Structure formats: structure tokens, C-alpha cells
Amino acid sequence: MSDDLFKLNIDGQDIEVPRHYTLMQACEEAGAEIPRFCYHERLSVAGNCRMCLVQWEGAPKPIASCAQTVGDMRPNRDGSAPNIKTSGDYVEKARAGVMEFLLINHPLDCPICDQGGECDLQDQAVAYGRSDSRYDLNKRAVEDKNMGPLVKTIMTRCIQCTRCVRFAAEVAGVEEIGMISRGESAEITTYLEESLTSELSGNVIDLCPVGALTSKPYAYNARPWELRKTESIDVMDAMGASIRVDAKGDAVMRIMPTINEEVNEEWLSDKSRFIWDGLARQRLDRPYVRQNGKLTPVNWGEAFAATKEALSGPAEKIGFVAGDLIEVEQAKAALDLARALGVQSTDCRPAGASYGTAGVREQYILNPTFMGVEEADALFLISTNPRKDAAVWNARIRKAWLWNELRVFVVGEANDLTYDYEHLGTGPDAIAKIAKQKGFKKPMVVVGENALTRADGDAVLAAAHDAAMKIGAISEGWAGFGVMHTAAGRVGALDSGFVPGEGGADTVAILGGGMDTVVLLGADEVDLSKLGNAKVIYVGSHGDAGASKADIILPAAAYTEMAATYVNTEGRVQMTRRAVQPKGEAREGWAIFRALSDVLGKTLPYDSADALREQLREANQIFAGLGYAPGNAGAEALKANIEAGGAVDKAAPFAAAIGDFYMTNPIARASKTMAECSMQKQGLETPVAAE
């Protein structure tokens, strides 16, 4: 037996495991199933539910396997490996006793509990519990706590596993949940009974093994066996978290995370989890044309006829602007149609941005990847607040800071990021201080997209790249420089070439009032006040800022209603899947432009999404693979100089990219739940009807 391995005999089977393993991990390595409530792979060990008891032959009592490190176990007196039994009368009696204690005060309200059907307590009570109870005294009752608009509490069901407490303290980094009192009086509560403030608070719902913490918006909506479950990709930020969309009939009922170690581990931000009610509200479900100053419902033929007339003018007076949630297929079809019409004014970047035209993809993606922060020993954040821009990544940064001794440096606004950092300054002049931080083996420099929309955006990117080169962030096998985007559709649209063509105008010029016709592809986060008399065609899913300015509305499907390609900020190509049908007469974005091309006499050369994707792959090989982030493969390309295009404006401090975390896109703004979260964050009361 080697020094770092330990030999055990588990259920008659000899195995060797690393000495740092817990006994629970060793038992599972041997193929045994160990029940648990308090233990969770991503949280510290609490050892307080005792459900994982096993028998260690020779020990005076059963052993809590989650809290016993195998390296601390002694061999038998004859020098043989310790004998562990995970089943048998002794173990079954111990587990049945623990289960009986857990159920002493647990209410018998499974028929009305939202956890019913996917409850650990139900499953393990059947598998390991007694068939009857010997307890005939009154059960205790615990007052419910107000944890805000997202988490519903029925604390009488709580079994004090403390998973929520450990998650809040260790992963979310906001110590807002704790246990008070002792013994039978012990209860979980928020401090001063305030609402949870973390952007990750909804994860305690998944962690809770009973029905004490459930989803408030989902309450009493459906049972798990009634739902169709569709694995997909989140588009609320540029991370591309893996999710599962649960639908009933034609409605999305809830959104939950799925495990993706490279992106979101098993966490999900509150915005991504709870915006599902916004998918059905404020929807554009049929075409509209403005007649006599008023938007009037029309059929697709009439809408296309009006669109044909609007696009019949000179090509240099027509512009296309893509929004934050645009999928790659729609960007490709719209771009192909624009070029067929001779239109060169196409842009998917926020106003003021000029990156993405050099043809070097590594200059606008997050090369070191989300996982890369766990390898890094220093992280330099320039004008990005990951707690808002990528809330789940912020938890991973905290994990690296907590366990790997990652040092974090911030240039820009000082915010509570849930971990300690050194604040170098608020403006571009502080970028020069990065180069003075020496002695790191794998530093990461991350520039927020918002810094690149300034007048000196090119100079900021060049200065950050120069600093990254000086501290060794870009070297053989380590691409430690990248851009943190906030919009799910941005990188994919850039990869498909949705930037101004030769002589074409950018976003600012297109929206500046000099165009006859402007096509908005879900573009709502831009300044539409200077459009003047331009004819506005809006292609999108929700009635938001763009639709209110539109003369023609062509309704499009939302991300849960189509199989579509997105590229996250790491450059990882991902695909959503259709969970429900598009609302009313809405159609997928690419199909709208394919049908429109027929009407305009410029028929596009594909009749299906698959044929379109084939052309995408031919035009850009990065679309040939799914789920792959290039990462350090881009190190060589990153060494090329970036044109500065002028000097940085040292007097202007960096501004925040996201003001209100809960109101960043049309789906979120249509969500009643997100409105409640936003008002609570601002300290306002949610408006209610007059009594």
C-alpha cells in the first residue's frame, strides 16, 4: 500500500482510497449507497443529521461516515484493514432510529408540500425508516420566516441539516442565514428576519432536502410528474449556464440548473431561475403595422408587404441593429438578407464599441475561461462587477479566493464582491498599476465589455492587453486575458460577422437619425430617442422599448421556444432546445428573415435551420463543435498587439455595466417576480391594489 492510499474492507470487499477521503466517499467508491441529508459535495462537512451511519467493527457505536476521514482510522489489532459494514441489522436499526427522530416534529403535510415527489426525506423514509411511529406527544411548530419574494419558508418542516446556512456563508458569501437556540428550540432564520440579498439565493431551494425552503413563485403550480423536462441553456447573462426547463402544457413552470462543471457547476443565478413568468407576459404574438399612428394587428402577408416597402429605399439609408438576446441563426439570416440588399450598416455591439472587426476572435472572448480562475493565482478585474455581470462565476471566484489563496485586484467601482480585493483605482490610469504587480505564475486580466463602449474603448483594451503582457498573463500554454460580456447573444453575433460592412455605419450612427429604415433585432438596451423619422421594423419576442418605437412588428420566439445556437463569453458554442411552442403567430428569427427574403426577391439559400447551420460551419469553423471553450489554445493569437486608437481618458472613471441586476432585458422586465426583487433591492414596497 502506497503512502497516500489507505486500505479498507467494505462489505467484504478490499479497496484502496486516498487518505483524505471521507468514509462516505470510500463506501460509495465500493459501490455502497449511503443516505444523507446534511452532507453535500460542494459544502463543508457538518455531520449533524447522522443519517449516514455505518458500522465499524470493533467501534463502540455507529460511525457518521461523512465526518470520518479514512486516514484517521486505525487498523484492526492484527494489522488488517478496518472492516466497515454499510448494511445489516445493526446499521438498519441505527438509521431507522435516526429517521424516527427526524420525523418526530416533521408535519405530515406531504399532499400539499411542493417538495412532494422529489423529496429526499420522503425517499429515505421509505427506504430506511420504520413503518410506524412511537411518538404520540404534540409536534412542535416553528414560525415561518420572510426570506423575500423568491424563497417560500415553512420552517416546521426543517430538519436542521444547515445546508442553506453553509451555502449562504461559503458559496454565496453573504452570512444572512443561521441557526438560533439549541435542542428542540433550534431553528433556522435570517438575521434580523431580513430578506436574502444574494443573487444566488434561489439555490437554497435545490439544496433543501425537505419542503422547508421552496420556490415562492412556483408554489402550488404543478407536481414534478406533470412536467416535461427539457435541458437547455440560459441566456440571462453571457455565461451560458446549463439549465432544465420544466413545462406544463404550453407554459414554462420553472427553470432549474443542471450540472456543468466547466460553466455553472450546479448553481444558477436568481434572474436565470425565476424569470420564467416573464416568458408569457408582454408577449408579441402576432404581427403589427402602425396605421394612423396606432399599432394595428395584421397577418404575416400584410406585415411583409409593409416591410418590403420600408426596405425598398437606398441601401445606404437602411441599418440593422442586433440586441442582447439574438441567437446566431437569426443573426446569420438577417446579415445574409442585409448583404443581399446591399446594406452594409449592420451592428451587434453596444453603442460606442468598436471591437470585433480585427478578425482576431481572442480579442473579444474570455480566453482564460470560468474554470481558469481556479488555476490562477491573481485576478485583475477592469470595469466589471462579476457579482452582477456573471453571478455564478462570482461564486467560483470566491471559491478560488477561499481555498486557493487567489488574490483579486479591481480597477473600477468599488463594490461588495463577497471576497476581499485590492482596489487599484476607479479610472483607466489605474491600469498602469497592474504592470507593477509582479511575481504571479498564472495571472488573469479580465476587461468588462462596458469599458470598451467608451470613446477611449480601444485604448483601454490596448492598455489592459499591454499590462497583461507585462505581468506574464499571456504565455506559452496560458491565455490569461479576456473580455467579460454581459449579453448572451453578443459573441455569437460577432462570430457570425454581424459588424459593419465596408463603409457601413455602426450602432451609434444607425440610431443617430440619419437612416430612412432601421431594423431592430430585439434591440431594447440602446438609445432609441434619436431615430427621428426613420421607419422602425422590430423583430422580437416582447413588447419593450424597441416595440414601442416600431412601425412594423414581426413577432419572434423566445429562447425556450426554439432550438438555437448561442456562444457564451468564453467562446463556447451551445444550443438551447425547444421546451414549449412559440406564442401565437410568433416564428423563429431565422425563419422570419428567410420568408421575408422570398417577398423581397432575394431568396436565402437555406430552407431549414440545419441547412443554415451547415452554412455557418462552412463560414466559421468554430460553429462545428458544441460545448468547447478554446481556452489556452488562443494564447499565441493573444500575443499580437492591439491597436490603441488614441490615448485613454484618465479623467473619466469607469461606470457600472449593470445598474439593476433584475431588469437587464425584455424578458426580465416583463417578469412580475423580477419586479418584486428589484423593488425589494431598492428598499421599496411592492405596489398592491388599493383596499
Side-chain angles (χ1 to χ4, degrees):
M1 185 176 72
S2 61
D3 291 339
D4 59 342
L5 293 177
F6 191 88
K7 184 176 282 186
L8 290 159
N9 183 287
I10 298 176
D11 294 335
Q13 176 186 350
D14 285 332
I15 68 161
E16 284 187 342
V17 296
R19 299 181 75 89
H20 67 267
Y21 266 35
T22 63
L23 187 51
M24 176 186 284
Q25 289 173 305
C27 291
E28 291 187 332
E29 195 84 4
E33 182 180 309
I34 307 293
R36 82 289 301 266
F37 290 115
C38 69
Y39 177 81
H40 190 277
E41 293 82 353
R42 300 182 200 274
L43 304 176
S44 61
V45 173
N48 55 6
C49 78
R50 320 309 284 181
M51 195 64 211
C52 62
L53 295 175
V54 297
Q55 181 183 3
W56 178 3
E57 288 188 3
K61 59 182 182 180
I63 301 294
S65 59
C66 72
Q68 176 66 57
T69 306
V70 296
D72 294 335
M73 298 175 72
R74 56 166 177 78
N76 295 326
R77 292 188 179 181
D78 62 359
S80 60
N83 295 320
I84 306 296
K85 289 187 176 178
T86 64
S87 59
D89 293 344
Y90 182 89
V91 174
E92 287 173 15
K93 184 179 180 182
R95 290 176 183 167
V98 170
M99 181 59 73
E100 191 173 8
F101 274 117
L102 287 175
L103 293 175
I104 274 177
N105 285 312
H106 194 81
L108 298 175
D109 59 354
C110 298
I112 62 158
C113 177
D114 270 319
Q115 196 82 345
E118 46 193 10
C119 173
D120 291 351
L121 190 64
Q122 277 184 332
D123 296 342
Q124 293 182 39
V126 170
Y128 303 103
R130 291 167 51 91
S131 58
D132 61 337
S133 173
R134 295 173 290 183
Y135 188 78
D136 55 7
L137 300 178
N138 290 334
K139 290 178 180 282
R140 76 164 187 161
V142 180
E143 188 177 340
D144 295 340
K145 310 297 185 291
N146 176 25
M147 291 194 182
L150 304 178
V151 181
K152 178 184 176 185
T153 62
I154 302 182
M155 300 312 293
T156 301
R157 298 173 183 158
C158 178
I159 60 170
Q160 282 84 43
C161 72
T162 68
R163 279 186 182 182
C164 55
V165 176
R166 286 173 284 146
F167 172 82
E170 296 164 17
V171 179
V174 289
E175 298 190 2
E176 296 175 337
I177 310 178
M179 181 182 282
I180 58 171
S181 303
R182 299 178 69 183
E184 186 155 329
S185 301
E187 57 182 272
I188 303 289
T189 181
T190 52
Y191 292 117
L192 302 178
E193 301 210 9
E194 290 288 321
S195 300
L196 300 178
T197 60
S198 171
E199 294 79 12
L200 300 171
S201 64
N203 291 291
V204 299
I205 296 166
D206 296 339
L207 288 171
C208 185
V210 296
L213 304 177
T214 56
S215 170
K216 193 174 276 187
Y218 173 71
Y220 308 129
N221 273 359
R223 285 299 195 185
W225 53 85
E226 299 175 314
L227 301 172
R228 295 190 314 277
K229 299 171 176 63
T230 309
E231 294 204 355
S232 190
I233 298 297
D234 171 56
V235 300
M236 290 299 109
D237 55 32
M239 281 194 71
S242 294
I243 59 172
R244 193 187 81 201
V245 181
D246 289 358
K248 181 181 177 184
D250 63 350
V252 173
M253 286 285 148
R254 65 177 178 181
I255 294 173
M256 299 175 72
T258 57
I259 296 175
N260 185 336
E261 295 293 350
E262 296 186 17
V263 182
N264 59 307
E265 299 179 279
E266 64 180 71
W267 313 125
L268 195 61
S269 77
D270 290 346
K271 182 166 56 177
S272 303
R273 183 187 293 267
F274 292 107
I275 50 87
W276 52 265
D277 63 325
L279 290 165
R281 301 177 76 240
Q282 299 288 333
R283 283 304 298 268
L284 301 173
D285 57 358
R286 59 184 306 175
Y288 290 85
V289 173
R290 195 175 293 276
Q291 297 172 352
N292 302 321
K294 185 179 179 182
L295 284 170
T296 307
V298 295
N299 60 38
W300 275 104
E302 293 168 321
F304 279 158
T307 305
K308 180 179 180 180
E309 184 182 341
L311 293 174
S312 61
E316 61 274 11
K317 289 288 189 178
I318 300 173
F320 285 61
V321 177
D324 290 358
L325 303 184
I326 188 170
E327 69 278 14
V328 173
E329 288 83 356
Q330 183 181 171
K332 166 74 172 165
L335 184 66
D336 287 351
L337 180 59
R339 296 292 185 261
L341 294 170
V343 174
Q344 299 297 323
S345 299
T346 54
D347 206 354
C348 66
R349 303 165 299 180
S354 56
Y355 57 83
T357 55
V360 183
R361 186 175 190 242
E362 287 76 13
Q363 292 180 3
Y364 60 78
I365 65 172
L366 187 71
N367 297 281
T369 72
F370 297 127
M371 277 187 84
V373 78
E374 296 186 38
E375 287 183 58
D377 50 1
L379 173 63
F380 297 88
L381 299 170
I382 301 173
S383 187
T384 178
N385 175 359
R387 187 166 174 181
K388 286 186 176 181
D389 299 352
V392 178
W393 188 48
N394 196 61
R396 199 189 284 258
I397 297 173
R398 175 177 165 79
K399 181 172 77 169
W401 168 79
L402 209 55
W403 302 108
N404 302 352
E405 298 181 358
L406 173 76
R407 287 182 65 188
V408 184
F409 301 84
V410 169
V411 175
E413 279 190 347
N415 296 290
D416 176 11
L417 297 180
T418 72
Y419 41 82
D420 296 337
Y421 59 84
E422 295 175 46
H423 191 227
L424 299 180
T426 58
D429 53 329
I431 296 175
K433 296 179 184 177
I434 294 175
K436 298 174 183 175
Q437 307 293 330
K438 302 286 187 180
F440 298 116
K441 293 178 181 176
K442 285 190 171 182
M444 269 176 78
V445 178
V446 178
V447 185
E449 181 189 40
N450 200 48
L452 309 182
T453 61
R454 299 160 41 115
D456 61 348
D458 285 348
V460 168
L461 186 64
H465 179 264
D466 184 53
M469 291 291 286
K470 286 178 179 174
I471 62 171
I474 304 167
S475 60
E476 194 68 40
W478 178 247
F481 176 78
V483 176
M484 184 71 219
H485 291 274
T486 55
R490 190 89 69 233
V491 175
L494 286 168
D495 286 341
S496 62
F498 208 100
V499 290
E502 193 174 339
D506 64 5
T507 300
V508 173
I510 294 171
L511 302 177
M515 295 288 172
D516 291 342
T517 302
V518 174
V519 182
L520 300 176
L521 312 177
D524 300 283
E525 322 306 323
V526 288
D527 181 9
L528 302 173
S529 62
K530 300 174 185 173
L531 284 169
N533 296 322
K535 199 89 164 171
V536 178
I537 302 166
Y538 182 78
V539 183
S541 60
H542 283 70
D544 205 76
S548 68
K549 286 278 187 184
D551 297 294
I552 301 166
I553 292 176
L554 306 177
Y559 74 105
T560 53
E561 299 161 4
M562 58 183 168
T565 307
Y566 286 88
V567 185
N568 78 349
T569 193
E570 303 170 290
R572 187 188 304 271
V573 181
Q574 301 170 300
M575 282 200 72
T576 62
R577 290 191 178 93
R578 177 180 286 190
V580 292
Q581 294 296 318
K583 294 285 180 284
E585 296 177 37
R587 296 291 180 267
E588 293 183 27
W590 75 268
I592 292 172
F593 286 100
R594 170 63 181 78
L596 184 58
S597 69
D598 265 354
V599 176
L600 294 171
K602 304 284 186 182
T603 304
L604 297 178
Y606 34 78
D607 296 324
S608 67
D610 286 339
L612 185 155
R613 292 186 194 112
E614 187 61 42
Q615 291 209 3
L616 267 173
R617 289 190 284 270
E618 289 174 9
N620 191 338
Q621 65 178 12
I622 69 105
F623 291 111
L626 285 177
Y628 165 73
N632 295 331
E636 198 57 40
L638 267 181
K639 291 178 182 176
N641 284 333
I642 296 178
E643 293 295 324
V648 296
D649 182 0
K650 295 182 179 180
F654 290 120
I658 294 177
D660 190 338
F661 171 76
Y662 300 102
M663 294 279 153
T664 55
N665 61 61
I667 303 175
R669 286 190 288 272
S671 165
K672 181 171 176 280
T673 306
M674 290 298 99
E676 290 176 7
C677 290
S678 176
M679 297 196 74
Q680 176 209 304
K681 199 79 168 178
Q682 297 169 46
L684 303 172
E685 291 292 324
T686 306
V688 294
E691 294 181 0

